[in-house]
Amino acid sequence: MTSQIAQPLSRKEIREIARDLRKALDLENEPYFPIMPFVEGILPRIDPKFELEILSKDEMHDFHGLTFPDRHQILLREDVYERACDGKGRDRFTVAHEVGHYILHIPSKIVLAKLEQGTAIPNFMDPEWQADAFAGELLMPAHLMKGVSPVIIAEKCEVSEAAARYQSRKM
């Protein structure tokens, strides 16, 4: 079985990367992160080669989003994009997850590895875990939300309660 393995990153390191991004955007002390304005307006200014492409369900199939850092591209399924623009928490998280891949997983930081059957990739080297951790840290910053109930986190950060519950256990 061949899998992708990312450069090892702890949750603490990912938290610092997300917080540094928030600081650079002067959003360090804001609970809500404007993920769609970031993807549509700021990311293209940071990386002029960046492309956001919205594709139909027929084109994306079961994928909600795909990221190709080497091509400077994020693909989003049309319904996910529309719901993210409407502020739906699950879809905002999906977009933040793809941004996580974009920021964390440049080609030099990802390798293909042949794993023996039944061998699991440790979380800190799993690109999907890393992207989820980044999305959680970007959308629900620990320094602002630690000790806050998941219901309040979901409300203030405009994320799903499931994501808020998970993230609150990691703060």
Side-chain angles (χ1 to χ4, degrees):
M1 175 171 119
T2 302
S3 294
Q4 290 188 334
I5 296 178
Q7 174 183 329
L9 286 172
S10 68
R11 180 171 287 274
K12 182 181 177 194
E13 291 168 315
I14 293 168
R15 182 173 288 153
E16 288 172 11
I17 293 166
R19 190 166 181 179
D20 286 347
L21 177 59
R22 284 175 148 271
K23 276 184 195 177
L25 299 171
D26 201 25
L27 294 170
E28 183 180 17
N29 295 312
E30 297 295 325
Y32 176 81
F33 186 86
I35 192 66
M36 294 313 296
F38 174 77
V39 169
E40 293 182 312
I42 297 169
L43 195 50
R45 286 187 289 182
I46 294 170
D47 179 2
K49 294 180 183 178
F50 174 73
E51 289 181 24
L52 173 64
E53 192 168 343
I54 311 307
L55 300 173
S56 70
K57 281 185 179 183
D58 289 340
E59 294 168 297
M60 293 287 288
H61 306 288
D62 291 336
F63 294 104
H64 290 196
L66 292 168
T67 300
F68 302 98
D70 57 326
R71 297 191 325 221
H72 303 268
Q73 185 178 51
I74 292 177
L75 308 178
L76 294 175
R77 203 171 72 186
E78 184 176 33
D79 59 322
V80 172
Y81 170 78
E82 288 171 359
R83 288 190 304 260
C85 288
D86 288 342
K88 302 296 184 217
R90 184 184 188 289
D91 300 291
R92 284 175 30 79
F93 192 93
T94 297
V95 176
H97 172 99
E98 297 305 328
V99 169
H101 281 306
Y102 195 83
I103 289 172
L104 301 175
H105 301 140
I106 59 173
S108 64
K109 303 218 183 245
I110 295 284
V111 297
L112 288 176
K114 191 165 188 158
L115 300 175
E116 291 184 29
Q117 191 168 4
T119 302
I121 299 170
N123 280 348
F124 65 92
M125 295 175 74
D126 179 357
E128 293 304 316
W129 177 86
Q130 290 180 356
D132 276 349
F134 178 85
E137 297 298 337
L138 185 67
L139 296 179
M140 299 166 273
H143 70 285
L144 297 177
M145 296 293 119
K146 188 171 187 171
V148 176
S149 78
V151 172
I152 300 299
I153 293 171
E155 180 183 304
K156 287 187 177 272
C157 300
E158 292 189 32
V159 296
S160 70
E161 282 191 35
R165 277 193 303 277
Y166 181 82
Q167 183 69 7
S168 70
R169 292 192 304 264
K170 302 301 177 185
M171 292 182 196

